[in-house]
Structure formats: C-alpha cells, structure tokens
Amino acid sequence: MTSSLLDLAPVLPVVVVEDVADAVPLARALVAGGLPAIEVTLRTPAAVDAIRAIAAEVPDAVVGAGTVVTPAQVSEVVAAGARFLVSPGWTDVLLKAMRASGVPFLPGVSTTSEVVALLERGVREMKFFPAEAAGGTAYLKSLAGPLPQARFCPTGGIGPDSAPEYLALPNVACVGGTWMLPRDAVADRDWGRVEALARAAAGLSAGGTCR
C-alpha cells in the first residue's frame, strides 16, 4: 500500500454485496479498471464473507470494510482480511478500536467540531459523510482555510459529474462512490461494464481530465 489509503486512486468504490458469489468477479473488475481500493459496506449478511473472499482470491485488491460502527465489527472484519476501515461517524470507543486494529482507518465527520476533535487525537485523514447532504464542495472548501492539515474522502451523493469538483479541492484526496456499480450491471453480472465504468472513474481528476 502507498503511504496513504487516500492516494491509491481518485475514487474509492463503495460496494454493497448481496451475494457472496459476486464478490470476487466484482473485485476483479474494479481492480482491472484501475480501482484497487474497495470498500465493502457492512450492510448485508454477505459482507464479511465477501471481504474474506476478496482478500483470499484477489491479491491486487486492497479490500476494506465500510459502515463500521462497533469495536466488535472492527475485530471481525480485520480477522476476515480487511486492510482498512471506514466509519460513517466516530466515538472515542470506536476510534480506540480502529486505532488498535493496526490497519488504516477513515472515521466519518460532517461538522467542523468533529474535524477539530479528530485532529486533536492525531487523526488527519477522514471520511466526509454524507457529503452532498452535509454541505458538499462549498463546506469542504470552507474547511480548507482554517484546517488545511485535514484530508478528506467525501462520500454520499457523489457521481461522475460532481466528482471532479470535489477532486479540485486542496483538502480532498479522493471521493467515495457507487456509480461504477449500477444495480442492473451487478444483477446481470455484467463485469465488463463494471470494469469500463471503473476505468473511467480511475481517470477522473480535477476538471474531469486524467491524472
């Protein structure tokens, strides 16, 4: 892994796996398209088994767990092979567990006070969630002046059209999104389409041009 999870690619796919049989081909399609970091959200019964399968069978993927909200989940997903953790928010109890896990983590924030509190605790890389509902690019741009040391992966309501606006901000390293995983493509197991959408996402940067 690079020095930071946020530097692996401009987009972090946020994956909801309903059928564990889809996990490996889906991950392979994302990696082939240039998106090696994959956040599997703990929103379905198949999630932990999906993380385990990807970790075991897709060596080029950097698989992590999202929607992590308890210390027990931290332990479970790291044991399954998760190489990073993402939470929608944070508490000191959850932060302690994520820090003790030994893997990179992105605690979620949506207010200035939450950002300052994490900076006090030595955390500089965060998830900004829910990005669009919490103020979007205007909010993040306002944070860049007083809190330039904080780096963000905004997630929530971001698509291919708005992603370049986020990536243009100095405090945004990457964005999280689901648009490269359309429901119908996953349902039809159209991994070629997923790979093509991933490749387009991997080429995004500020202004919509390739990095």
Side-chain angles (χ1 to χ4, degrees), residues 79-101:
R83 294 172 60 185
F84 65 90
L85 308 167
V86 184
S87 67
W90 67 276
T91 65
D92 277 318
V93 171
L94 180 60
L95 189 67
K96 180 180 179 181
M98 291 194 294
R99 198 189 296 272
S101 73

Side-chain angles (χ1 to χ4, degrees), residues 10 14 26 34 39 106 119 174 194:
V14 180
L26 185 155
E39 175 190 338
L106 294 176
L119 291 174
C174 64
V194 170

Side-chain angles (χ1 to χ4, degrees), residues 67-129:
T67 324
V68 176
V69 295
T70 69
Q73 287 178 324
V74 170
S75 299
E76 184 179 24
V77 298
V78 171
R83 294 172 60 185
F84 65 90
L85 308 167
V86 184
S87 67
W90 67 276
T91 65
D92 277 318
V93 171
L94 180 60
L95 189 67
K96 180 180 179 181
M98 291 194 294
R99 198 189 296 272
S101 73
V103 302
F105 56 92
L106 294 176
V109 297
S110 60
T111 70
T112 306
S113 293
E114 290 171 326
V115 176
V116 172
L118 282 178
L119 291 174
E120 283 184 350
R121 290 158 174 79
V123 178
R124 294 190 175 189
E125 297 187 342
M126 313 167 195
K127 171 180 178 175
F128 181 62
F129 176 82

Side-chain angles (χ1 to χ4, degrees), residues 21-58:
D22 293 337
V24 167
L26 185 155
R28 285 175 175 158
L30 292 172
V31 171
L35 300 180
I38 301 169
E39 175 190 338
V40 177
T41 66
L42 301 182
R43 300 180 190 177
T44 69
V48 175
D49 285 337
I51 291 169
R52 186 176 292 109
I54 294 169
E57 299 183 44
V58 192

